[in-house]
Amino acid sequence: MTQDEPTGSQKPSRRGFVELCIGAMGATSAGAVAYPVVAFLGRPASVEGVTTIKVPVAELQEDQARYVDWQGQQIVILYTGRTPKVLSASCSHLGCLVAWDNVKHVFHCPCHGAVFDDQGRPVSGPVSKPLAAVPFQLSEGNVVIG
Amino acid sequence: MQTVERITDALDERYKIRPLIEKNVTKKLVPRTLGWAACFGGLSLLVFLIQVFSGALLLMYYKPDPARAWDSVTFIKSNVPMGWLIQRVHAVGANVMIVLVMMHMARVAYFKIYRKPRELHWVSGVILLILTTQMAFTGYLLPWTQLSFWGAKVGTEIPGAVPVVGESLVEWLRRGNVISGETLGFFYAMHVWILPGMISAFMVMHFMMIRRTGISRPL
């Protein structure tokens, strides 16, 4: 570097270089902290939608409903002693979760009072459509959904 | 860089922040004889803040229930992205904080900084030490492992040595005769809310007192 060179604003100064280095170190440190924190806020590995569900028929109790998560929706497996029935647990009115009443043998929606029978057919309330049936297979004593 | 300047200008115009930054950060004069050992108090605060933030992250998945506590910690460690790191940072940070607090106290004791007018700095500092160890003790139970369980059992037995009230003290700490779900709930509330609140209050007092008397200048 020569002495007669003018000190213009474009000339890299020692101070500017040190500032850049400190800035780079700061940014690296901030990144090293931010990366795991942002990653932590992401979705955990096992919350991916489960595609197939297998429930042994022997585990099902008579007249009891079993609620399970399947592909992001709640479904209900109902066993009334003959064959299992798998229905969407969302009310066909506005989508609230219906509750099984094993005394009256109906599904009851807590939101607007819709009632469905054990086959998912509407009985009373503001509904005309049945609870959506979910296709399933019976294989080797298991209810296989999906 | 220019954007930073312009934001600072705008804030300075309104709230006069430049003199504030100069007085407290960029032009703050530190006694020349002050060594690196004077950093331990500030480092303890830094680790405390790391514990608060990593703890807040763990809180998203932790479940204070004997049936699910261990599973939820395992879930954090194996399923949550970077969860193993956050959990480790929080567990190791507890030990690091106790070490730093001890070193801070050792320096204050060795240089006799606790003398008049700083007696209450020391008293609030000892209270902070006790609260820090209690944070570590209550946090240790939360993963609900064998070590946690027996650690809490032995730890809660200690006040039993107190004459007359010892036994009721043990029962009070355990919320019953044995370490149970009630103990876990109590330790959890202590660990995430009550003790951190108390620590924060005493820290504010500690720092305000240091501001009033100024830092001790070694010869």
Side-chain angles (χ1 to χ4, degrees):
Chain A
M1 202 182 287
T2 50
Q3 279 293 315
D4 55 341
E5 211 173 338
T7 48
S9 59
Q10 293 302 308
K11 185 174 171 262
S13 65
R14 185 175 298 212
R15 172 176 278 268
F17 176 72
V18 171
E19 272 177 1
L20 189 71
C21 287
I22 292 171
M25 282 196 288
T28 310
S29 310
V33 173
Y35 174 72
V37 171
V38 172
F40 187 92
L41 297 174
R43 202 162 67 159
S46 77
V47 188
E48 306 287 334
V50 181
T51 48
T52 309
I53 285 179
K54 218 185 248 185
V55 179
V57 178
E59 260 185 34
L60 297 170
Q61 285 175 305
E62 202 170 326
D63 287 344
Q64 298 291 323
R66 179 157 167 172
Y67 289 80
V68 284
D69 276 329
W70 176 68
Q71 293 185 354
Q73 58 169 323
Q74 283 261 299
I75 58 171
V76 55
I77 306 169
L78 185 66
Y79 187 58
T80 49
R82 294 187 299 274
T83 53
K85 182 100 187 143
V86 185
L87 298 164
S88 163
S90 295
C91 180
S92 56
H93 178 223
L94 288 172
C96 299
L97 290 183
V98 293
W100 173 246
D101 181 337
N102 64 349
V103 177
K104 292 182 185 160
H105 243 256
V106 290
F107 287 103
H108 186 265
C109 179
C111 293
H112 306 100
V115 176
F116 302 87
D117 68 8
D118 58 6
Q119 300 297 306
R121 289 175 300 226
V123 175
S124 64
V127 280
S128 51
K129 283 183 288 178
L131 292 174
V134 176
F136 69 98
Q137 283 150 8
L138 278 173
S139 77
E140 295 164 9
N142 289 311
V143 179
V144 182
I145 303 154
Chain B
M1 280 300 128
Q2 260 188 337
T3 325
V4 175
E5 279 294 297
R6 279 171 60 189
I7 292 169
T8 315
D9 280 342
L11 286 175
D12 190 45
E13 204 181 332
R14 288 162 182 80
Y15 306 112
K16 313 258 180 301
I17 63 158
R18 280 230 165 78
L20 209 67
I21 295 171
E22 280 175 7
K23 186 175 163 244
N24 293 300
V25 187
T26 51
K27 298 221 169 122
K28 187 184 165 87
L29 294 178
V30 176
R32 203 157 48 88
T33 45
L34 219 55
W36 288 105
C39 290
F40 290 127
L43 287 174
S44 306
L45 172 65
L46 178 69
V47 176
F48 175 73
L49 294 175
I50 291 173
Q51 293 300 88
V52 168
F53 286 106
S54 57
L57 291 175
L58 295 175
L59 216 48
M60 292 177 195
Y61 292 101
Y62 178 71
K63 296 178 179 73
D65 170 354
R68 298 191 297 168
W70 190 83
D71 282 336
S72 69
V73 175
T74 307
F75 184 79
I76 291 170
K77 290 200 271 195
S78 49
N79 292 43
V80 179
M82 289 287 156
W84 61 272
L85 181 66
I86 304 291
Q87 195 272 338
R88 275 293 82 197
V89 164
H90 197 71
V92 173
N95 295 300
V96 171
M97 186 165 168
I98 289 174
V99 170
L100 287 171
V101 167
M102 292 288 196
M103 289 169 97
H104 178 54
M105 291 182 91
R107 174 182 160 273
V108 169
Y110 183 76
F111 291 107
K112 299 190 170 66
I113 297 165
Y114 51 79
R115 290 179 298 189
K116 197 180 171 189
R118 299 188 175 79
E119 305 98 313
L120 291 179
H121 294 32
W122 177 264
V123 171
S124 60
V126 170
I127 293 170
L128 282 169
L129 171 72
I130 294 168
L131 290 171
T132 305
T133 55
Q134 291 317 296
M135 280 298 287
F137 178 61
T138 51
Y140 197 64
L141 179 67
L142 303 188
W144 207 246
T145 60
Q146 283 288 322
L147 276 175
S148 310
F149 183 89
W150 295 105
K153 181 166 162 47
V154 172
T156 51
E157 257 162 29
I158 295 170
V162 175
V164 190
V165 292
E167 253 171 65
S168 35
L169 213 58
V170 172
E171 228 171 80
W172 184 84
L173 277 173
R174 289 180 181 166
R175 326 306 291 169
N177 291 317
V178 290
I179 306 291
S180 65
E182 311 304 322
T183 324
L184 182 62
F186 177 62
F187 275 37
Y188 175 71
M190 280 291 183
H191 188 77
V192 304
W193 191 243
I194 298 166
L195 290 172
M198 288 167 78
I199 286 194
S200 306
F202 276 98
M203 271 182 175
V204 169
M205 284 186 232
H206 202 65
F207 303 154
M208 279 167 75
M209 285 190 264
I210 293 162
R211 278 282 161 134
R212 292 301 291 166
T213 59
I215 197 160
S216 169
R217 281 148 200 264
L219 296 167

